[in-house]
Amino acid sequence: MEQQVFFRSQSVVSRIVAGETLIVPIRGRVGDLASIYSFNGTGSLIWQMLESPRTVVELVEAVAQEFDVERARAEKDVKRFVREMIAVCLVEVSTFVAAGTEGPVGREGLAAAGAR
Amino acid sequence: MDQLSYGAFSADLHQRQAGTRSPMQVSIEVTRRCPLACLHCYNNLPMGDMDARRREMSKEEHFQLLDELAEMGTFWLLYTGGEVFARKDFLEIYTYAKKKGFLITLFTNGTIITEEIADYLAEWPPFAIEITLYGRTRETYEALTAVPGSYDRCLRGIRLLQERGLPLKLKTVATSVNKHEVLAMKHFAEEELGVEFKTDGQINPRIDCSQSPLAVRLAPEEVVALDLHSPKEVSEYRRLAKRDAENPPNLAENESVYFCGGGMNSFAINAYGEMGICVISQQETFSIRGVEVKQVWDGYLQELRTRKRTRITKCIECRIQSLCGMCPANGELENGDRESPVSFLCNVAHLRAAVIGAEIPAHGDCEFCVGGSEHEALLESARRIASKEIDVESWAGPQQVLPILNNPSVGVGACGSCGH
């Protein structure tokens, strides 16, 4: 997971309704169209950050700082949350390769992610 | 992350919003033009009505409306007509709404749905799409829609949507023209297609004041026989009657003319950019063109929604209100007065109560209650329904349709609100 960047799927949109962040699938074959997804405070923060492509490290740093929790705990929570979102296609993933060793796939992935 | 089923989410959100005035649901009429010319319709206009087309909100005005509704917290949208696909730019408006994250229901007659439209909807699925079916045979369907070829086109639309797994529901409006095919339509929907089906027997005068739809309205006995043909409906009406009996109306709480969700958690925008309580309440509407939607919602519509009633009618103290379709919009359309009881609906409600054995406490000067001028006739109707003299399963098709259209007593406006 450390070698990947994550970003919001273009097939969902988020709405704030009655003070709650809701994720609504809008295109076919995304998640479960009969379901609505909502987040708690941590989830809302991660979702906001994923408006731009992010690494797990960036997400963990933000959660640890915002909610004043140990980094290990934040990392566990962030990874579980991101896996859940990938499973229902709310979040997409692209491979990130360390600077200096990136190949075409890594560059294209980042470019695609950045364009979103 | 919480994944909620739609039902659980909806129930929870409604509960949290209870008592607050917030436009969670908005109905948007994109056009009143329609390729069909249904006899019972309350608002349809010909496809070629250029004046209507010129007056319709533009695509850009729809986009602006959607931006503002998203800001106001609206979550459910209903697109209705006329026929929504009569507008060539409807999918652009729809897509804009989808991208805003609204849960969208589409009402359509299905007759102009093409493969391209169906493919597009499969890619951008609505929350629900409801097609009204007007008959189970070509003859009956087209006797009501008055357009040759429309039956086959409707079936094609249904097939195109179903092949793509779209969330399709079917429904019908029961009229004197198609009543004998309601059960066949239900069978077609539920057994052959495996989709939900519902029947509505309520027909209103047109919003342009014409009373012509009433020519094909079922008789009160037929409305009741039809809805009580379903054991589920009987059970629901019994539950509602019991609830009404246990919670008598409180006059002090019933000071407003309106008592529904219209103007509280919903409103409607008509094809010409006017906000109203609902799509059929068009006596008093307020333009949103050139002004903020929220300003109209907070101002004019709130004033209308909280307007006090001017008198006590028999409806105010009625304790079978849940069995009745009466609302201010129906009063407007049928009597030209929101507060004036609609005799037809009163008849239907009392008959429902009589057939299911619900008590009807006295509630003012009501002709259908004990001692009233129509009470004996009501009891006779109830007896005929209970004894199956009036039986949905034995209904036959109308002998002729044209004489209904030619009946001068019902084809002319008799509107009390505008003098037409």
Side-chain angles (χ1 to χ4, degrees):
Chain A
M1 256 183 149
E2 282 73 9
Q3 300 302 309
Q4 295 172 316
V5 288
F6 304 92
F7 49 91
R8 292 182 190 177
S9 165
Q10 284 193 310
S11 298
V12 298
V13 295
S14 57
R15 292 284 313 275
I16 296 176
V17 175
E20 191 175 5
T21 303
L22 302 173
I23 309 303
V24 185
I26 59 169
R27 293 190 85 152
R29 299 178 293 280
V30 176
D32 180 353
L33 287 170
S35 294
I36 303 289
Y37 303 88
S38 69
F39 299 145
N40 60 15
T42 312
S44 294
L45 173 66
I46 295 173
W47 182 257
Q48 280 170 25
M49 291 188 68
L50 289 175
E51 195 162 7
S52 306
R54 301 285 185 178
T55 63
V56 163
V57 172
E58 289 173 309
L59 297 174
V60 169
E61 290 293 338
V63 168
Q65 191 171 343
E66 177 72 19
F67 296 98
D68 195 21
V69 293
E70 288 178 13
R71 203 178 177 289
R73 166 76 189 278
E75 184 173 341
K76 189 179 162 193
D77 287 350
V78 164
K79 284 184 173 176
R80 191 187 66 210
F81 183 77
V82 168
R83 281 194 197 99
E84 282 177 5
M85 290 201 294
I86 292 170
V88 290
C89 305
L90 302 188
V91 161
E92 293 177 21
V93 58
S94 166
T95 302
F96 163 79
V97 182
T101 61
E102 68 269 37
V105 173
R107 283 200 202 99
E108 284 169 11
L110 281 174
R116 288 169 192 268
Chain B
M1 180 177 66
D2 291 326
Q3 180 176 354
L4 300 168
S5 73
Y6 170 73
F9 162 77
S10 175
D12 176 60
L13 189 56
H14 278 95
Q15 192 174 8
R16 278 190 287 139
Q17 294 293 98
T20 62
R21 186 170 180 269
S22 170
M24 299 300 296
Q25 307 169 40
V26 173
S27 301
I28 302 175
E29 196 182 71
V30 288
T31 180
R32 287 182 180 161
R33 291 175 298 119
C34 181
L36 305 183
C38 296
L39 307 183
H40 66 280
C41 188
Y42 68 96
N43 75 348
N44 57 352
L45 295 174
M47 286 288 274
D49 187 328
M50 287 301 114
D51 180 52
R53 188 172 177 174
R54 268 192 298 274
R55 291 175 57 212
E56 287 168 7
M57 286 173 73
S58 68
K59 179 176 69 181
E60 290 73 22
E61 285 177 306
H62 276 280
F63 293 167
Q64 173 69 27
L65 168 64
L66 292 165
D67 288 343
E68 294 187 51
L69 293 181
E71 285 290 314
M72 292 166 72
T74 299
F75 198 51
W76 287 275
L77 278 190
L78 166 67
Y79 277 115
T80 184
E83 167 52 43
V84 292
F85 293 109
R87 273 185 72 137
K88 290 202 185 314
D89 58 2
F90 175 66
L91 284 179
E92 288 180 71
I93 296 168
Y94 170 77
T95 307
Y96 194 91
K98 281 291 293 181
K99 288 180 176 176
K100 284 278 171 186
F102 296 105
L103 288 195
I104 302 170
T105 295
L106 303 178
F107 283 0
T108 172
N109 58 46
T111 59
I112 49 178
I113 291 178
T114 60
E115 291 216 10
E116 291 71 27
I117 291 174
D119 284 342
Y120 193 85
L121 292 177
E123 181 63 26
W124 298 88
F127 175 68
I129 182 162
E130 298 190 8
I131 288 184
T132 311
L133 188 61
Y134 299 108
R136 187 62 191 106
T137 63
R138 185 173 296 107
E139 182 188 25
T140 298
Y141 184 101
E142 293 174 6
L144 196 60
T145 64
V147 176
S150 54
Y151 179 67
D152 290 337
R153 288 196 286 275
C154 174
L155 291 188
R156 183 195 58 185
I158 290 170
R159 178 178 55 78
L160 289 171
L161 298 180
Q162 234 210 348
E163 282 173 353
R164 288 157 179 79
L166 282 154
L168 176 67
K169 297 177 183 176
L170 296 187
K171 58 190 176 185
T172 195
V173 181
T175 68
S176 57
V177 177
N178 67 359
K179 65 182 182 183
H180 59 295
E181 292 184 6
V182 168
L183 295 185
M185 286 188 266
K186 180 177 165 65
H187 183 271
F188 170 64
E190 294 178 350
E191 308 302 325
E192 294 180 43
L193 301 181
V195 301
E196 246 180 70
F197 181 78
K198 61 186 174 189
T199 305
D200 188 357
Q202 184 149 329
I203 287 174
N204 303 304
R206 286 177 59 86
I207 56 176
D208 63 7
C209 303
S210 165
Q211 302 286 300
S212 63
L214 304 189
V216 294
R217 181 155 75 179
L218 295 181
E221 300 92 307
E222 292 174 319
V223 173
V224 174
L226 186 61
D227 57 32
L228 298 186
H229 182 263
S230 155
K232 195 174 154 192
E233 294 270 320
V234 173
S235 166
E236 178 62 5
Y237 279 125
R238 288 209 167 106
R239 185 187 71 78
L240 292 171
K242 185 166 179 282
R243 192 190 65 182
D244 276 2
E246 289 170 355
N247 298 288
N250 181 338
L251 285 180
E253 288 179 2
N254 282 351
E255 282 189 350
S256 299
V257 174
Y258 288 93
F259 46 84
C260 60
M264 277 299 285
N265 52 39
S266 65
F267 65 82
I269 299 290
N270 71 21
Y272 313 120
E274 295 164 335
M275 183 187 292
I277 292 280
C278 68
V279 289
I280 64 168
S281 180
Q282 295 290 302
Q283 202 175 66
E284 216 167 336
T285 55
F286 312 100
S287 179
I288 59 163
R289 286 177 148 157
V291 289
E292 285 183 13
V293 179
K294 188 173 186 308
Q295 190 183 330
V296 180
W297 163 258
D298 285 339
Y300 293 118
L301 205 72
Q302 180 161 24
E303 186 280 319
L304 175 58
R305 179 57 178 77
T306 53
R307 199 172 292 170
K308 303 289 185 235
R309 58 176 152 71
T310 60
R311 61 191 188 275
I312 301 287
T313 67
K314 62 177 179 176
C315 293
I316 303 299
E317 291 182 291
C318 178
R319 285 169 64 172
I320 55 167
Q321 286 175 4
S322 298
L323 305 185
C324 187
M326 176 62 192
C327 69
N330 281 316
E332 251 179 51
L333 286 172
E334 198 130 343
N335 300 324
D337 171 20
R338 297 185 183 106
E339 297 180 61
S340 183
V342 173
S343 186
F344 178 88
L345 298 173
C346 190
N347 190 350
V348 168
H350 283 71
L351 192 51
R352 271 189 191 123
V355 172
I356 65 173
E359 190 190 349
I360 310 172
H363 54 104
D365 187 14
C366 176
E367 67 270 35
F368 298 103
C369 285
V370 178
S373 60
E374 300 296 327
H375 184 64
E376 289 304 315
L378 184 96
L379 293 183
E380 174 58 13
S381 294
R383 185 197 64 73
R384 292 176 67 212
I385 294 169
S387 68
K388 299 270 183 191
E389 269 179 59
I390 300 172
D391 183 10
V392 178
E393 295 187 24
S394 64
W395 280 345
Q399 295 299 305
Q400 292 174 304
V401 173
L402 288 177
I404 295 173
L405 298 177
N406 292 332
N407 184 343
S409 68
V410 292
V412 184
C415 179
S417 60
C418 70
H420 287 167

